Amino acid sequence: MRRELVVLAAVVALAGCAAEQKTAPGAQTPGVTDTTVKVGGVLTKTSASGYSTKDAELGARARFERANAAGGVHGRKIEFVGAEDDTQDAAKGDAAAKKLVQKDKVFALVPVHAPNFGGAVFLEQQGVPWFGWATGPQWCGTRTGFGYNGCLAPKPGAGSQTWWGNQMADLLGGASGKTVYVQTSDSSGSKYGGKTISQSFQAAGFTLVGLNSALPGAAPPADWLPYVNKIMTSDGGAPPDIVVSIIAGTKFNVGLYSALKKAGYKGVLSDATSYDAAILKDPATARALEGVVAAPMFEPFESSAPEIAQLRQDVEKVSPGATLTQHLAIGYWSADIFLKMLEQTGRDLTREKFLATGNGSFLYENAGFGKIQYPKDHAEPNGCGALVKLEGGAYRVAKSMKCFDNVPLK
């Protein structure tokens, strides 16, 4: 009789567990409870060169807070544990990803914004989704990595962006007869970016007269003269019409641009990182970057678009008076895409179902960052971007967000 009672108690306990699981969809999925979804990020908060993406954490937090204030997604609020610092070291990025997944038990990594992120292989093996700025080849060809701008390092034959070159051509009244020189560092992401950006300008009609990837990526050089001399004589002994810098760090660009201006360069300077209001706080830096045309892959903060007004409002609620930066926007829009994918997946949430949603003809358009489509954009960039010019110590929108067709990478 006693044995029968023990068996009966076990059956009742199992039935209770089954009932509990039935009322809490996703309860067995790491980072998911009946009321929350846990996420955390990996950023380059500190680095030897001074480059930092720490503001992406604030951007993501602002977007998550608005979602939570509205009741969450399908009744679950976002539990954001913050972001780890990889110090621009691939090994530390891998360790950070493993900590978040294995110790903190997050459902996904949002945002990931680190040029040398080393956790991609681990996340792909574990089937853990991650969202951020796809600056390097580690983002491309995955099923788990969702760059808010797609894949910026496509393989030969895959689609490669033309928006930067086309936007610049529109700004300058055409590309015919104009030349461009592209300077990168020796890091893998920078070198690959130089290749794709060079083709973007060529596709728009510019003539490429130089692509130099010999600049050390760890820290700015003590002497810029060798690089400046190459640039100033690249167009048949004359300077090019445009110099494009694909370097991660304001200190690099300040050094390069200052040296070029000292040498008498009068052409257009352009890069992807100099749109940062924090730059304006330092008069010397602002002077060095005066006239630079930055190329953000989102609608500028100076825009009158309602999506940008909403971003400003969200950030102000979380951090009153915060400076709006490019990295902040990247964190914000990465979180926005994650939330949209979460919404489309539905209440019954697992990583497998979430990834099936993301890789099953997921299309999302927003005037704040253009459009994104997966799985296509696992292999190519989303083809959208804007131009901002620094003039008189203030930024102005040079070309609003626009999307262009990609072309096969040569």
Side-chain angles (χ1 to χ4, degrees):
M1 180 69 176
R2 182 177 180 181
R3 181 181 176 186
E4 291 175 351
L5 289 174
V6 170
V7 171
L8 180 60
V11 170
V12 171
L14 288 172
C17 289
E20 182 179 353
Q21 290 175 7
K22 187 175 181 180
T23 58
Q28 302 306 304
T29 298
V32 178
T33 71
D34 198 39
T35 57
T36 62
V37 178
K38 184 188 291 188
V39 301
V42 177
L43 307 175
T44 296
K45 293 184 175 181
T46 59
S47 67
S49 68
Y51 179 72
S52 174
T53 67
K54 63 181 179 62
D55 290 349
E57 183 169 354
L58 173 57
R61 190 180 300 279
R63 184 62 188 90
F64 289 146
E65 285 298 315
R66 174 157 67 92
N68 288 345
V73 181
H74 298 297
R76 293 189 178 98
K77 293 190 176 182
I78 306 301
E79 181 185 348
F80 184 45
V81 300
E84 301 289 320
D85 182 9
D86 79 341
T87 70
Q88 209 165 0
D89 182 301
K92 290 183 179 179
D94 183 47
K98 289 175 179 175
K99 173 186 178 294
L100 286 166
V101 173
Q102 297 172 341
K103 182 180 179 181
D104 297 333
K105 306 296 184 182
V106 300
F107 172 77
L109 269 65
V110 191
V112 174
H113 185 10
N116 294 329
F117 180 58
V121 172
F122 168 75
L123 296 174
E124 184 75 0
Q125 290 173 342
Q126 298 298 311
V128 179
W130 43 300
F131 292 72
W133 194 15
T135 52
Q138 67 269 40
W139 286 87
C140 305
T142 75
R143 65 186 180 88
T144 58
F146 297 88
Y148 93 94
N149 49 357
C151 156
L152 295 189
K155 293 181 178 179
S160 185
Q161 67 99 338
T162 66
W163 72 263
W164 196 339
N166 277 306
Q167 287 279 55
M168 189 67 76
D170 288 347
L171 180 66
L172 301 181
S176 180
K178 296 184 177 68
T179 57
V180 61
Y181 184 101
V182 178
Q183 177 69 61
T184 86
S185 72
D186 61 4
S187 71
S188 60
S190 182
K191 286 192 290 186
Y192 209 104
K195 179 180 180 180
T196 58
I197 301 307
S198 294
Q199 181 165 306
S200 176
F201 278 79
Q202 289 174 298
F206 292 95
T207 298
L208 180 69
V209 294
L211 171 56
N212 184 349
S213 299
L215 181 67
D223 184 8
W224 282 100
L225 192 58
Y227 304 97
V228 170
N229 286 340
K230 284 186 178 181
I231 294 172
M232 294 298 287
T233 58
S234 61
D235 188 5
D241 295 297
I242 305 170
V243 174
V244 179
S245 171
I246 311 298
I247 309 171
T250 298
K251 288 184 179 179
F252 280 91
N253 288 329
V254 166
L256 176 60
Y257 299 160
S258 296
L260 280 169
K261 290 176 180 179
K262 186 176 180 179
Y265 184 71
K266 302 297 183 183
V268 177
L269 301 169
S270 187
D271 63 59
T273 60
S274 288
Y275 179 43
D276 184 349
I279 287 170
L280 305 181
K281 296 180 180 179
D282 178 24
T285 301
R287 283 195 299 272
L289 298 178
E290 176 70 17
V292 171
V293 178
M297 296 186 73
F298 57 88
E299 181 68 357
F301 302 123
E302 292 75 16
S303 169
S304 59
E307 291 80 5
I308 303 305
Q310 180 69 69
L311 180 154
R312 287 177 169 276
Q313 181 179 330
D314 292 345
V315 173
E316 184 66 19
K317 285 184 178 179
V318 173
S319 181
T323 300
L324 300 179
T325 68
Q326 183 168 197
H327 302 305
L328 181 152
I330 289 164
Y332 184 93
W333 293 120
S334 297
D336 191 61
I337 296 170
F338 169 75
L339 291 168
K340 188 66 176 182
M341 202 173 290
L342 202 63
E343 177 188 332
Q344 290 190 10
T345 301
R347 172 70 179 167
D348 188 7
L349 179 64
T350 66
R351 284 178 179 155
E352 291 75 17
K353 290 180 179 179
F354 182 83
L355 290 172
T357 298
N359 293 317
S361 299
F362 178 85
L363 173 64
Y364 184 40
E365 297 185 71
N366 186 303
F369 70 90
K371 64 180 179 181
I372 194 73
Q373 183 175 1
Y374 303 110
K376 179 179 73 71
D377 291 337
H378 282 309
E380 61 184 78
N382 67 343
C384 310
L387 296 179
V388 178
K389 189 173 184 179
L390 178 58
E391 288 185 318
Y395 292 108
R396 69 170 182 84
V397 179
K399 298 294 295 184
S400 285
M401 169 66 63
K402 190 174 181 181
C403 300
F404 295 84
D405 291 336
N406 293 335
V407 296
L409 181 65
K410 298 178 182 178

